[in-house]
Amino acid sequence: MSDIRFAAATEEPAAVRRLLIGLAVAGLATLVAAPLLVVFAEALAQGWLAAVTALGNRDAQSAIRLTLLIAGISVPLNAAFGIAAAWFITKFDFRGKAVLITLIDLPFSVSPVVAGLCIVLMFGTNSLVGGWLVASGHPIVFALPGIVLATMFVTFPFVARELIPVMIEQGRAEEEAALTLGASGWRTFRTVTLPNIRWALLYGVLLCNARAMGEFGAVAVVSGKIRGQTATMPITIEMLYNEYLSVAAFSLAAVLTLLALVTLLLKTALEIRHADQLSATHRH
Amino acid sequence: MTRRPLIHKSPMPGLGLSMGITLTMLSLVVLLPIGALLWKGATFGLSGIWETVNRERVWAALFLSFRLSLIAALFNLVFGLLLAWVLVRYRFPGRRILDAAVDLPFALPTAVAGIALTTIYAPNGMFGALAKEIGWKIAYTQSGIFLALVFVGLPFVTRTVQPVIEEIDREVEEASATLGASRVHTLRHVILPMLAPAALTGFALSLARAVGEYGSVIFIAGNIPLVTEIAPLLIVIQLEEFNYDAAAAIGISMLLISFAMLLLINLIQVWSRRRIGYV
């Protein structure tokens, strides 16, 4: 019989394979796919018109504008930080490098709520700095600067983490060659380094942006939740949901979900097309 | 022997600029705010912190947060290993989509995840109604919190273990099989030890994320004091009452417990690396 196939010694039996694949699919379906579908189902529960009308609401519009503004400020700032930190860490040898990398990663192990608390304690009206800033008419907490700071805190490591491994792997030889040939430092960065790290940079910026637009815990603490002023999209979703305005809440949630899906799509495309220029952990 | 210089001389340009930006932004955004919290803690000392934390409601919240986070991270450790194995070793239609779906919890805002999970697992929701048939209430109980914590920590183990599985030399498995080991024996004694350090890293990340999680939990938790009230929520409640000292005390205790746990996991990792004999 020609269709007998012996199982390879380094493979699990077919039945086990099917079982494991089944478990993986079932787990992701109940945990990941179901919430995704529910967001759109609930948003469209009363038809397209209701969903679009909810998005046209004045508070929803101002929340969308605020979230775009916050991402527009904090993501470029964190990208600039990421590039500077990666350059400093990979192009120079100095003592305490490991400590510096640990400190940059610190926000990942701090609860967003604690991050917000830190900013309130630092810049709130009761603090030394905050009291003076409020008195001079520049409040940080319960205002835009506080939300930007909180967002930057939680997204702080994203870009640096993507760039550092890539720049370590690429080494310094190309930059040294450019410098030897007489290029200025800035020109070397722009024409040699930047083209080498652009996909990793884009990857980091994508993740940073998704988190910046969706951050809830840290922003909830510092925003004061003033409707039309300091309520970002996630905060507005919470307020609408708690008022049982399901369609309105899920319509805004659907916009953020679409953003998440686009982020995943672009991220996967980068992993497939530019795998060799990303941090090794993203290569499949 | 001469002392190592603080910064080695280098022909690379931009030392001052890149160091300046890095240290300034790190201080302004991360170090000073954390310093403000620690300073606040220092002003009322360990005994002051203890006084605030040593109340039934705070203990219950801290215990709940760390206990459920630990269980959720353990679940994610097992399920994450399974997912990584399936995604790297098996070929089946839809594998790419499955692979991309693993990252959704990273990309989806936690508030969105929170209201979506609550809607599904509430007693009148899609899965919640099914669970209710067998008398299991998910949303507004500790099961709901567990579910939300599993969701937010889902990608970590898979993403740290996947590259390691890809690197495994098939010849090692073949050698093990030739020597008469069963597949289960090979997986248990050859493959698993190789994955352990990466899996532990993923476990630690998942745990840290779960402990601090707020957005996805508060909707599904029900937030009943002593029963389903998590520690981050307690901080928010204290802040809303302008009780900054209590909020700071709980925040510092959370930081201390988290760092102690991460340190412990790092030690286990060092130990397991040494035992397996590679770095």
Side-chain angles (χ1 to χ4, degrees):
Chain A
M1 293 229 294
S2 60
D3 58 340
I4 290 182
R5 183 178 165 276
F6 290 101
T10 56
E11 261 177 17
E12 289 78 51
V16 175
R17 254 193 335 246
R18 269 186 223 115
L19 176 73
L20 292 183
I21 294 174
L23 280 175
V25 171
L28 284 181
T30 44
L31 273 169
V32 175
L36 206 61
L37 294 177
V38 155
V39 171
F40 293 108
E42 292 287 322
L44 300 175
Q46 290 166 28
W48 283 94
L49 199 62
V52 173
T53 313
L55 287 178
N57 174 287
R58 212 159 45 94
D59 289 344
Q61 287 284 317
S62 102
I64 294 173
R65 272 200 304 274
L66 181 63
T67 291
L68 288 175
L69 177 65
I70 287 159
I73 299 172
S74 50
V75 175
L77 281 176
N78 271 353
F81 166 77
I83 294 171
W87 183 272
F88 179 46
I89 286 168
T90 62
K91 302 298 178 199
F92 299 99
D93 296 308
F94 53 90
R95 270 192 281 159
K97 197 181 271 194
V99 177
L100 181 64
I101 294 175
T102 309
L103 287 178
I104 291 173
D105 275 343
L106 196 60
F108 276 159
S109 42
V110 173
S111 166
V113 169
V114 175
L117 169 70
C118 289
I119 288 164
V120 170
L121 290 177
M122 171 103 193
F123 294 109
T125 26
N126 291 354
S127 74
L128 207 66
V129 196
W132 175 74
L133 282 167
V134 171
S136 64
H138 301 287
I140 304 270
V141 174
F142 304 149
L144 183 69
I147 305 177
V148 170
L149 263 180
T151 307
M152 283 180 67
F153 186 108
V154 293
T155 58
F156 204 61
F158 276 109
V159 178
R161 269 180 86 99
E162 294 303 326
L163 292 184
I164 291 170
V166 172
M167 284 171 72
I168 287 178
E169 204 171 308
Q170 286 170 350
R172 299 171 193 173
E174 288 186 32
E175 279 87 357
E176 277 162 2
L179 290 166
T180 319
L181 292 172
S184 68
W186 173 242
R187 187 164 174 209
T188 304
F189 171 75
R190 220 171 26 117
T191 54
V192 178
T193 312
L194 204 56
N196 279 338
I197 61 168
R198 60 185 166 179
W199 299 118
L201 179 64
L202 182 60
Y203 195 96
V205 165
L206 266 176
L207 295 184
C208 184
N209 180 61
R211 183 72 197 266
M213 289 194 169
E215 178 50 30
F216 181 71
V219 173
V221 171
V222 298
S223 95
K225 302 184 182 176
I226 309 162
R227 223 174 266 263
Q229 284 183 42
T230 63
T232 61
M233 284 173 82
I235 300 289
T236 308
I237 291 172
E238 184 204 16
M239 295 196 292
L240 293 169
Y241 183 83
N242 286 342
E243 288 157 14
Y244 301 101
L245 295 169
S246 172
V247 170
F250 277 101
S251 301
L252 266 185
V255 175
L256 284 179
T257 307
L258 283 177
L259 172 81
L261 289 177
V262 171
T263 303
L264 283 189
L265 201 71
L266 291 175
K267 186 176 150 308
T268 309
L270 279 179
E271 281 165 6
I272 294 172
R273 294 199 50 184
H274 301 287
D276 53 328
Q277 292 174 57
L278 294 179
S279 152
T281 46
H282 306 311
R283 293 170 195 162
H284 299 288
Chain B
M1 207 178 107
T2 50
R3 217 164 118 75
R4 257 178 78 209
L6 189 62
I7 300 176
H8 285 268
K9 280 209 169 62
S10 161
M12 283 288 163
L15 172 65
L17 183 68
S18 64
M19 184 169 73
I21 295 177
T22 305
L23 297 183
T24 310
M25 284 186 71
L26 181 66
S27 307
L28 216 61
V29 177
V30 179
L31 299 183
L32 282 175
I34 290 183
L37 174 65
L38 297 180
W39 175 252
K40 188 90 180 168
T43 58
F44 39 69
L46 274 177
S47 59
I49 294 175
W50 177 255
E51 226 163 82
T52 315
V53 174
N54 196 16
R55 280 181 301 165
E56 199 191 0
R57 189 171 169 190
V58 181
W59 274 129
L62 284 172
F63 184 61
L64 178 76
S65 274
F66 283 94
R67 182 171 57 94
L68 286 181
S69 299
L70 205 62
I71 303 173
L74 281 172
F75 178 91
N76 276 333
L77 178 65
V78 176
F79 187 61
L81 277 169
L82 184 153
L83 260 179
W85 187 258
V86 166
L87 287 173
V88 175
R89 283 300 175 90
Y90 303 158
R91 290 292 169 270
F92 54 95
R95 189 183 62 94
R96 268 268 169 223
I97 298 172
L98 212 62
D99 198 341
V102 172
D103 276 331
L104 190 79
F106 279 164
L108 195 69
T110 52
V112 175
I115 62 172
L117 286 172
T118 311
T119 305
I120 298 172
Y121 291 95
N124 57 356
M126 197 161 53
F127 297 149
L130 283 174
K132 202 177 152 198
E133 296 276 306
I134 57 166
W136 182 23
K137 200 172 165 215
I138 300 179
Y140 317 122
T141 67
Q142 295 189 1
S143 308
I145 303 178
F146 167 76
L147 205 70
L149 295 181
V150 166
F151 178 87
V152 294
L154 189 68
F156 290 104
V157 175
T158 308
R159 287 304 179 231
T160 49
V161 169
Q162 242 174 332
V164 182
I165 298 182
E166 270 159 23
E167 294 285 298
I168 291 177
D169 202 337
R170 285 280 181 135
E171 284 173 14
V172 181
E173 289 166 64
E174 280 161 16
S176 169
T178 331
L179 292 171
S182 69
R183 188 65 187 148
V184 175
H185 195 88
T186 304
L187 286 176
R188 163 85 182 70
H189 293 282
V190 178
I191 304 284
L192 209 55
M194 287 200 256
L195 305 184
L200 261 174
T201 305
F203 173 77
L205 290 169
S206 170
L207 182 65
R209 177 72 205 262
V211 166
E213 181 55 23
Y214 175 71
S216 59
V217 175
I218 51 157
F219 296 100
I220 205 165
N223 305 329
I224 307 156
L226 302 176
V227 186
T228 55
E229 189 176 61
I230 54 166
L233 175 66
L234 206 53
I235 295 179
V236 172
I237 292 174
Q238 301 297 341
L239 278 175
E240 278 168 359
E241 292 165 1
F242 298 103
N243 199 347
Y244 291 145
D245 291 356
I250 302 166
I252 288 173
S253 339
M254 277 185 69
L255 275 188
L256 290 180
I257 303 174
S258 295
F259 287 152
M261 277 190 334
L262 292 182
L263 192 69
L264 185 72
I265 291 170
N266 264 324
L267 290 177
I268 296 174
Q269 208 159 21
V270 170
W271 172 77
S272 77
R273 283 222 167 106
R274 198 172 295 152
R275 216 182 75 123
I276 297 156
Y278 73 97
V279 183

